[in-house]
Amino acid sequence: MPAPILPVAPVTSDDSKKKKKDVEEDKGKSKEESKDLAKQEEGEELSEEDQQLKNELEMLVERLKESTTTLHRPALETLRTLIRTSTSSMTSVPKPLKFLRPHYPDLQALHQQWPASENKSLFADILSVLAMTYSDTQPRGTLHYRLLSASTSESPSEPGTWGHEYIRHLSAELGSEYMIRLEAGQDTTELLALGLKCAKFLLEHNAEADAVDLLEEIENVAKIGDLVNNDTFTRVCAYMLSCVNFLPPPDDVAFLRTAHDIYMKYSRVPDALAIAIKLGDQELIENDFKSPANPQMKRQLAFLLARANIPLEWIQSQESEDDPEELPEDLLECLSNTQLSCHFREYGKELGVTEPKSLEDIYKSHLENVRTATTVDSARGNLAGTFVNAFVNAGFGNDKLMVEAEEGNSWIYKNKDHGMMSATASLGLSLLWDTDVGLSHVDKYTYSSEEHIKAGALLATGILNSGVRTEADAALALLGDHVGNKSVPLKTSAIVGLGLAYAGSHREDLVALLVPNIVDDAVSMEIASLSALALGFIGVGSCNYDVTSSILQTLMEREDAQLNEKWARFMALGLALLFLGRQDASDATIETLKAIPHSLSKQAQILVDICSFAGTSNVLKIQSLLHYCNDHIDKEKQDDTFQAFAVIGIALIAMGEDVGAEMSLRQFNHLMHYGEPIVRKAVPLALGLLSASNPQLNILDTLSKYSHDNDLQVAINAIFAMGLVGAGSNNARLAQMLRQLAGYYHKEPDCLFMVRIAQGLVHMGKGTIGINPFFSDRQIMSRTAVAGLLATLTAFTDSKAFVLDQYHWMLYFLVTAMYPRFLITLNEELVSTPVTVRVGQAVDVVGQAGKPRTISGFQTHQTPVRLGTTERAELATEEYLPFAHVLEGFVILQKNPGWETQDAMEL
């Protein structure tokens, strides 16, 4: 039986509702869109003009396929003209390239059949341009045909004639081809020649950054010096310097040297000298210093060298061994910083901060929310007062507690034993940089019968000579005799005093004086370690062979019991400071340290490594340090102190550049959450180092959170870090936070002591002195400043054993990092001359078009003026011309001969 036929419901081809909807939508669409749809449906309908162009191009392609060679040349030239004259918008492909794309494979085959000739060269040139549309399927085609064209022609065309986009395409392919050839060991000469042509074109067309990138990819950046001219060199150098932090060694040093050579070629000596200081290259520094004939320029360079604490011997060329060349008196004065104290006090007068501040002015204890009477033992309170008074009134030499105190009523006698030492030493901070008056003030205490007072006086002598060189060499004369003293306090004070007074001087006579203390086994670990640290300060970044070998020998020969002492970390730090900023120079030392079985070896390896790469933002080093922090160590079996140095190392390496510094904050946050106690203790210290004298809100809030941590060690370090971050900033928000902490911790003597110290640091020099190790527009890192900060942080890796015990004088290590934050303009007689300047937040303008403003939100002031860590100044008028490249510190001005005074109109 056949199956019944079922009725079929009629189904319309389209949904009627949808149709209506579509019609409405279509009406709403613009005419252009409907045109586009029609084009797609009917297979790309072209306008008359485009159709004509397409036909013409196809005809030219046909001509090239014909056997009549006479037609080839005109056809190729017409093609070339059409491609060059075609205009295109930024987003669309030029019409000729679009229409020729389907013919590209045929043209490739045709090119291979032609015999070598000028026509074939021109053909290759055109194919090179067409290859840009095929770069996804046939990589590096543009470069392939470009090189073919150049090799088959006697006079190849310039690549620049095809325009900017073509050059950029070619540059991209050059880099990858260069790497492929290098790996295969092939010849790269033609690539280098083409790269230089492209770079020249890019420089002529305001694409300096692209030119530098291209030459960096083909490892030929040194050649850029020959391509730049008077208009482009500043932008090229600015871009190169901003790249340095992101380059791996040895490219970073190559960039610096190239920029240095360009600056010297165009007589921009201050810029060149700044790079030479950054490189720490003695020969370059000496040559740069001697190159200008203008005595004013020489003085300006001398101020820059003095700020960087460059050893005088580096620029006194040794004519004969005994008789170095004598520098003129005025230059020596600038190089030795002898006028620093005088100018600093005048600057204080201008700002109206000469009056000494009392402790109550800083604490403002009437604002603290303390419900009960404070129960801190007064000796501890007085000791905190000592430091606060010293830091706040530093450099002014008129504080009420010490300098101006009446005979017998001095603050010293309000302290006990070791407190007396710190109190006497605080004189040195109050009289900072004032070598004439200061020594006479301190002198009377050197005859005291009380051992600690005498020791403090020796330390004060070292402190007040910090960063200032004198012909009399008073510090060595006064302290040298006590290095061999039987009394431990006197001996340690003399050694540390010498380290602070001669930081960065690389003096050989001091090496001979202190090395015996390191090598002699009979000497206690305390004396040996502090001697190593003092030599680290003196020879910072010098890679001194004698000191290095002495410390390594001691680490190998000492008993384990001695190396287990808390002091040993300072010996490792002394060794590390010798390699500060010297990158790979420390490799041999690190290998030697690996041979030492004691756990101190690991601390020393990390310290040497982080110091070598301080401020370089080297990502690989930061990653290796994070691996160290990752380990969870059983304290009973192994010493975990090295992890603290690894954490501090992350900040030390990342602080050279803003992006790295910001990224490291996130890592610190993770370490704080998941790290071991030793790691958590070190995180606040690392934050303090990362942002010294630069109070950023996010860092302050983080530290404020850590300052209430359950682990008191973390809290103490966080409070101290708050002091470092706000050092010399008078930051009101931070002062308020510290007042709240003083109330919160009023029953915790250690924490309260640290809060007081932090309050002193925040108001350092009444807001005129900072401790940020970067200067000259944050381009140069002061090695002595980093040494001072690191030594202080090392003491805080075990604050209970050092700063909170009887070694609180270690806080004075900060003195090498202390420097006034001012801009003082001097005339040609080196007399302070007030001029109008604009001061605002520094803006990074590298690579921006035109001449954008380098500062934002500025205010106009008369010099002398205070500059914050992230601030920059510029002259408000063109009445004067500065000799310096950055308006910071001492700047010598010269009257602009072309300046006309704009007199007010007479009515």
Side-chain angles (χ1 to χ4, degrees), residues 116-172:
S117 63
E118 283 294 321
N119 285 357
K120 186 169 184 175
S121 170
L122 179 54
F123 196 1
D125 224 2
I126 290 166
L127 281 174
S128 173
V129 181
L130 291 182
M132 289 201 294
T133 60
Y134 259 85
S135 58
D136 50 346
T137 51
Q138 295 183 14
R140 299 189 303 289
T142 304
L143 178 61
H144 171 67
Y145 284 111
R146 176 77 229 166
L147 294 172
L148 274 179
S149 159
S151 61
T152 51
S153 168
E154 289 172 14
S155 53
S157 66
E158 285 293 318
T161 51
W162 291 105
H164 206 276
E165 197 51 48
Y166 175 72
I167 290 285
R168 289 184 62 176
H169 213 93
L170 205 53
S171 302

Coordinates of all heavy atoms in Angstrom, one line a residue, residues 116-172:
A116 N 70.4 40.5 -16.5 CA 70.9 41.6 -15.7 C 71.1 42.8 -16.5 O 71.7 42.8 -17.5 CB 72.2 41.2 -15.0
S117 N 70.4 43.9 -16.1 CA 70.6 45.2 -16.8 C 70.0 46.3 -15.9 O 69.5 46.0 -14.8 CB 69.7 45.2 -18.1 OG 68.4 45.0 -17.7
E118 N 70.1 47.6 -16.4 CA 69.5 48.7 -15.6 C 68.0 48.5 -15.5 O 67.4 48.9 -14.5 CB 69.9 50.0 -16.3 CG 71.3 50.5 -16.1 CD 71.6 50.8 -14.6 OE1 70.7 51.4 -13.9 OE2 72.7 50.5 -14.1
N119 N 67.4 48.0 -16.6 CA 66.0 47.7 -16.6 C 65.6 46.8 -15.5 O 64.6 47.0 -14.7 CB 65.5 47.2 -17.9 CG 65.5 48.2 -19.0 OD1 65.8 49.4 -18.7 ND2 65.1 47.9 -20.2
K120 N 66.4 45.7 -15.3 CA 66.1 44.7 -14.3 C 66.2 45.3 -12.9 O 65.4 45.0 -12.0 CB 67.0 43.5 -14.4 CG 66.7 42.4 -13.5 CD 67.4 41.1 -13.8 CE 67.0 40.0 -12.8 NZ 67.6 38.7 -13.1
S121 N 67.2 46.2 -12.8 CA 67.3 46.9 -11.5 C 66.1 47.7 -11.1 O 65.6 47.7 -10.0 CB 68.6 47.8 -11.5 OG 68.6 48.6 -10.4
L122 N 65.6 48.5 -12.1 CA 64.4 49.3 -11.9 C 63.2 48.4 -11.6 O 62.4 48.7 -10.8 CB 64.2 50.2 -13.1 CG 63.0 51.1 -13.1 CD1 63.0 52.0 -11.8 CD2 62.9 52.0 -14.3
F123 N 63.1 47.3 -12.3 CA 62.0 46.3 -12.1 C 62.1 45.8 -10.7 O 61.0 45.8 -10.0 CB 62.2 45.2 -13.1 CG 61.0 44.3 -13.3 CD1 59.8 44.6 -12.6 CD2 61.0 43.2 -14.1 CE1 58.7 43.8 -12.8 CE2 59.9 42.4 -14.3 CZ 58.7 42.7 -13.6
A124 N 63.3 45.5 -10.2 CA 63.4 45.0 -8.8 C 63.0 46.1 -7.8 O 62.4 45.8 -6.8 CB 64.9 44.6 -8.6
D125 N 63.3 47.3 -8.1 CA 62.9 48.5 -7.3 C 61.4 48.5 -7.1 O 60.9 48.7 -6.0 CB 63.4 49.8 -8.0 CG 64.1 50.7 -6.9 OD1 64.1 50.3 -5.8 OD2 64.5 51.8 -7.3
I126 N 60.7 48.4 -8.3 CA 59.2 48.5 -8.3 C 58.7 47.2 -7.5 O 57.7 47.4 -6.7 CB 58.7 48.5 -9.7 CG1 59.1 49.9 -10.3 CG2 57.2 48.3 -9.7 CD1 58.9 50.0 -11.8
L127 N 59.2 46.1 -7.8 CA 58.8 44.9 -7.0 C 59.0 45.0 -5.5 O 58.2 44.5 -4.7 CB 59.5 43.6 -7.5 CG 59.1 43.0 -8.9 CD1 60.0 41.9 -9.3 CD2 57.6 42.5 -8.7
S128 N 60.1 45.7 -5.2 CA 60.3 45.9 -3.7 C 59.2 46.7 -3.1 O 58.8 46.4 -2.0 CB 61.6 46.7 -3.6 OG 61.9 47.1 -2.3
V129 N 58.6 47.7 -3.8 CA 57.5 48.4 -3.3 C 56.2 47.6 -3.3 O 55.5 47.5 -2.3 CB 57.3 49.7 -4.1 CG1 56.1 50.5 -3.5 CG2 58.5 50.6 -4.1
L130 N 56.0 46.8 -4.3 CA 54.8 45.9 -4.4 C 54.9 44.9 -3.3 O 53.8 44.5 -2.8 CB 54.8 45.3 -5.8 CG 54.5 46.1 -7.0 CD1 54.4 45.3 -8.2 CD2 53.2 46.9 -6.8
A131 N 56.1 44.4 -2.9 CA 56.2 43.4 -1.9 C 55.6 43.8 -0.6 O 55.4 42.9 0.3 CB 57.7 43.0 -1.8
M132 N 55.5 45.1 -0.4 CA 54.9 45.5 0.9 C 53.5 45.0 1.1 O 53.1 44.7 2.2 CB 54.8 47.1 1.0 CG 56.1 47.7 1.1 SD 56.0 49.4 1.8 CE 55.2 50.3 0.5
T133 N 52.8 44.7 0.0 CA 51.4 44.2 0.1 C 51.4 42.7 0.3 O 50.4 42.1 0.6 CB 50.6 44.5 -1.2 OG1 51.2 43.9 -2.3 CG2 50.5 46.0 -1.4
Y134 N 52.6 42.1 0.1 CA 52.7 40.6 0.3 C 53.5 40.2 1.5 O 54.0 39.1 1.6 CB 53.4 40.0 -1.0 CG 52.4 39.4 -1.9 CD1 51.7 40.2 -2.9 CD2 52.1 38.0 -1.9 CE1 50.8 39.6 -3.7 CE2 51.2 37.5 -2.7 CZ 50.5 38.3 -3.7 OH 49.6 37.7 -4.5
S135 N 53.8 41.2 2.4 CA 54.7 40.9 3.5 C 54.2 39.8 4.5 O 55.0 39.2 5.2 CB 54.9 42.2 4.4 OG 53.7 42.7 4.8
D136 N 52.9 39.5 4.4 CA 52.4 38.5 5.3 C 52.7 37.1 4.8 O 53.0 36.2 5.6 CB 50.9 38.6 5.6 CG 50.1 38.8 4.2 OD1 50.8 39.0 3.2 OD2 48.9 38.7 4.2
T137 N 52.6 36.9 3.5 CA 52.9 35.5 2.9 C 54.4 35.4 2.5 O 54.9 34.3 2.5 CB 52.0 35.3 1.7 OG1 52.1 36.4 0.8 CG2 50.6 35.1 2.1
Q138 N 55.0 36.4 2.1 CA 56.4 36.3 1.7 C 57.2 37.3 2.5 O 57.4 38.5 2.0 CB 56.6 36.6 0.2 CG 55.8 35.6 -0.7 CD 56.1 35.9 -2.2 OE1 56.9 36.7 -2.6 NE2 55.2 35.3 -3.0
P139 N 57.7 36.9 3.7 CA 58.4 37.9 4.5 C 59.7 38.4 3.9 O 60.3 37.7 3.2 CB 58.6 37.1 5.8 CG 58.5 35.7 5.4 CD 57.6 35.6 4.3
R140 N 60.0 39.6 4.2 CA 61.3 40.3 3.8 C 61.4 40.4 2.3 O 62.5 40.5 1.8 CB 62.5 39.6 4.4 CG 62.5 39.7 6.0 CD 63.8 39.2 6.6 NE 64.1 37.8 6.2 CZ 63.5 36.7 6.6 NH1 62.5 36.8 7.4 NH2 63.9 35.5 6.2
G141 N 60.3 40.4 1.5 CA 60.3 40.6 0.1 C 60.8 41.9 -0.3 O 61.6 42.1 -1.2
T142 N 60.3 43.0 0.4 CA 60.7 44.3 0.2 C 62.3 44.5 0.2 O 62.9 45.0 -0.7 CB 60.1 45.3 1.2 OG1 58.7 45.1 1.2 CG2 60.4 46.7 1.0
L143 N 62.9 43.9 1.3 CA 64.3 44.0 1.4 C 65.0 43.2 0.4 O 66.0 43.6 -0.2 CB 64.7 43.5 2.8 CG 66.2 43.5 3.2 CD1 66.7 44.9 3.1 CD2 66.4 42.9 4.5
H144 N 64.5 42.0 0.0 CA 65.1 41.1 -0.9 C 65.3 41.8 -2.3 O 66.4 41.9 -2.9 CB 64.2 39.9 -1.1 CG 64.6 39.0 -2.2 ND1 65.8 38.3 -2.2 CD2 64.0 38.7 -3.4 CE1 65.9 37.6 -3.3 NE2 64.8 37.8 -4.1
Y145 N 64.2 42.5 -2.8 CA 64.2 43.1 -4.1 C 65.0 44.4 -4.0 O 65.6 44.8 -5.0 CB 62.8 43.4 -4.6 CG 62.2 42.1 -5.2 CD1 61.2 41.5 -4.5 CD2 62.7 41.5 -6.3 CE1 60.6 40.3 -5.0 CE2 62.2 40.3 -6.8 CZ 61.2 39.7 -6.1 OH 60.7 38.5 -6.6
R146 N 65.0 45.1 -2.8 CA 65.8 46.3 -2.7 C 67.3 46.0 -2.9 O 68.0 46.7 -3.6 CB 65.5 46.9 -1.3 CG 66.3 48.1 -0.9 CD 65.8 49.3 -1.6 NE 66.9 50.1 -2.2 CZ 66.7 51.0 -3.0 NH1 65.5 51.4 -3.4 NH2 67.7 51.7 -3.6
L147 N 67.7 44.9 -2.2 CA 69.1 44.5 -2.3 C 69.5 44.1 -3.7 O 70.5 44.3 -4.3 CB 69.4 43.4 -1.3 CG 69.4 43.8 0.2 CD1 69.5 42.6 1.1 CD2 70.4 44.8 0.5
L148 N 68.5 43.3 -4.4 CA 68.7 42.9 -5.8 C 68.9 44.1 -6.7 O 69.8 44.2 -7.5 CB 67.6 42.1 -6.3 CG 67.6 40.6 -6.0 CD1 66.3 39.9 -6.5 CD2 68.8 39.9 -6.6
S149 N 68.0 45.1 -6.5 CA 68.1 46.4 -7.3 C 69.4 47.1 -7.1 O 70.0 47.5 -8.1 CB 66.9 47.3 -6.9 OG 67.2 48.6 -7.3
A150 N 69.9 47.1 -5.9 CA 71.2 47.8 -5.6 C 72.3 47.1 -6.2 O 73.3 47.7 -6.7 CB 71.4 47.9 -4.1
S151 N 72.3 45.7 -6.2 CA 73.4 44.9 -6.7 C 73.5 44.9 -8.2 O 74.6 44.7 -8.8 CB 73.4 43.5 -6.1 OG 72.2 42.9 -6.6
T152 N 72.3 45.1 -8.9 CA 72.4 45.0 -10.4 C 72.5 46.3 -11.1 O 72.6 46.4 -12.3 CB 71.1 44.3 -10.9 OG1 70.0 44.9 -10.3 CG2 71.1 42.8 -10.5
S153 N 72.5 47.4 -10.3 CA 72.6 48.7 -10.9 C 73.9 49.4 -10.5 O 74.4 49.2 -9.4 CB 71.4 49.6 -10.5 OG 71.6 50.9 -10.8
E154 N 74.4 50.2 -11.4 CA 75.6 51.0 -11.1 C 75.3 52.2 -10.2 O 76.1 52.6 -9.4 CB 76.3 51.4 -12.4 CG 76.9 50.3 -13.2 CD 77.5 50.7 -14.5 OE1 77.5 51.9 -14.8 OE2 77.8 49.8 -15.4
S155 N 74.1 52.8 -10.5 CA 73.7 53.9 -9.7 C 72.3 53.7 -9.1 O 71.3 54.1 -9.7 CB 73.8 55.2 -10.5 OG 73.0 55.0 -11.7
P156 N 72.2 52.9 -8.1 CA 70.9 52.6 -7.5 C 70.2 53.8 -7.0 O 70.8 54.7 -6.5 CB 71.2 51.5 -6.4 CG 72.6 51.8 -6.0 CD 73.3 52.3 -7.3
S157 N 68.8 53.8 -7.1 CA 68.1 54.9 -6.6 C 68.1 54.9 -5.0 O 68.3 53.9 -4.4 CB 66.6 54.8 -7.1 OG 66.0 53.7 -6.4
E158 N 67.9 56.1 -4.5 CA 67.8 56.2 -3.0 C 66.5 55.6 -2.5 O 65.5 55.9 -3.1 CB 67.9 57.7 -2.6 CG 69.3 58.3 -2.7 CD 70.3 57.7 -1.7 OE1 69.9 57.5 -0.6 OE2 71.4 57.4 -2.2
P159 N 66.6 54.8 -1.4 CA 65.3 54.2 -0.9 C 64.3 55.3 -0.5 O 63.1 55.1 -0.5 CB 65.8 53.3 0.3 CG 67.2 53.8 0.6 CD 67.8 54.4 -0.7
G160 N 64.9 56.4 -0.1 CA 64.0 57.5 0.4 C 63.0 58.0 -0.6 O 62.0 58.6 -0.2
T161 N 63.3 57.8 -1.9 CA 62.4 58.4 -2.9 C 61.1 57.7 -2.9 O 60.1 58.3 -3.5 CB 63.1 58.3 -4.3 OG1 63.5 56.9 -4.5 CG2 64.3 59.1 -4.5
W162 N 60.9 56.6 -2.3 CA 59.6 55.9 -2.3 C 58.8 56.3 -1.1 O 57.7 55.8 -0.9 CB 59.9 54.4 -2.3 CG 60.4 53.8 -3.5 CD1 61.7 53.4 -3.7 CD2 59.8 53.6 -4.8 NE1 61.9 52.9 -5.0 CE2 60.7 53.1 -5.7 CE3 58.5 53.9 -5.2 CZ2 60.4 52.8 -7.0 CZ3 58.1 53.6 -6.5 CH2 59.1 53.0 -7.4
G163 N 59.3 57.2 -0.3 CA 58.5 57.7 0.8 C 58.7 57.1 2.2 O 59.4 56.1 2.3
H164 N 58.1 57.6 3.1 CA 58.3 57.3 4.5 C 57.8 55.9 4.9 O 58.5 55.2 5.6 CB 57.5 58.3 5.4 CG 58.2 58.5 6.7 ND1 57.9 57.7 7.8 CD2 59.0 59.4 7.2 CE1 58.6 58.1 8.9 NE2 59.3 59.2 8.5
E165 N 56.7 55.5 4.4 CA 56.1 54.2 4.8 C 57.0 53.1 4.3 O 57.2 52.1 5.0 CB 54.7 54.1 4.2 CG 53.8 53.0 4.8 CD 53.8 53.1 6.3 OE1 53.6 54.2 6.9 OE2 54.0 52.0 6.9
Y166 N 57.5 53.3 3.1 CA 58.4 52.3 2.5 C 59.7 52.1 3.3 O 60.1 51.0 3.6 CB 58.8 52.7 1.1 CG 59.8 51.8 0.4 CD1 59.5 50.6 0.0 CD2 61.1 52.3 0.2 CE1 60.4 49.8 -0.7 CE2 62.1 51.5 -0.4 CZ 61.7 50.2 -0.9 OH 62.7 49.4 -1.5
I167 N 60.2 53.3 3.8 CA 61.5 53.2 4.6 C 61.2 52.5 6.0 O 62.0 51.7 6.4 CB 62.0 54.6 4.9 CG1 62.5 55.3 3.7 CG2 63.0 54.6 6.0 CD1 63.9 54.7 3.2
R168 N 60.0 52.8 6.5 CA 59.7 52.1 7.8 C 59.5 50.6 7.6 O 60.0 49.8 8.4 CB 58.4 52.7 8.4 CG 58.6 54.1 8.9 CD 57.4 54.7 9.5 NE 57.0 53.9 10.7 CZ 56.0 54.2 11.5 NH1 55.3 55.3 11.2 NH2 55.6 53.5 12.5
H169 N 58.9 50.2 6.5 CA 58.8 48.8 6.2 C 60.2 48.1 6.0 O 60.4 47.1 6.5 CB 58.0 48.7 4.8 CG 57.1 47.5 4.8 ND1 55.8 47.5 5.2 CD2 57.4 46.2 4.4 CE1 55.3 46.3 5.0 NE2 56.2 45.5 4.6
L170 N 61.0 48.9 5.3 CA 62.4 48.3 5.0 C 63.1 48.2 6.3 O 63.8 47.2 6.5 CB 63.1 49.3 4.1 CG 64.2 48.9 3.2 CD1 63.8 47.7 2.4 CD2 64.7 50.0 2.3
S171 N 63.0 49.2 7.2 CA 63.7 49.2 8.5 C 63.3 47.9 9.3 O 64.2 47.3 9.9 CB 63.4 50.4 9.3 OG 63.7 51.6 8.6
A172 N 62.0 47.7 9.3 CA 61.5 46.5 10.1 C 62.1 45.2 9.6 O 62.5 44.3 10.3 CB 60.0 46.5 10.0

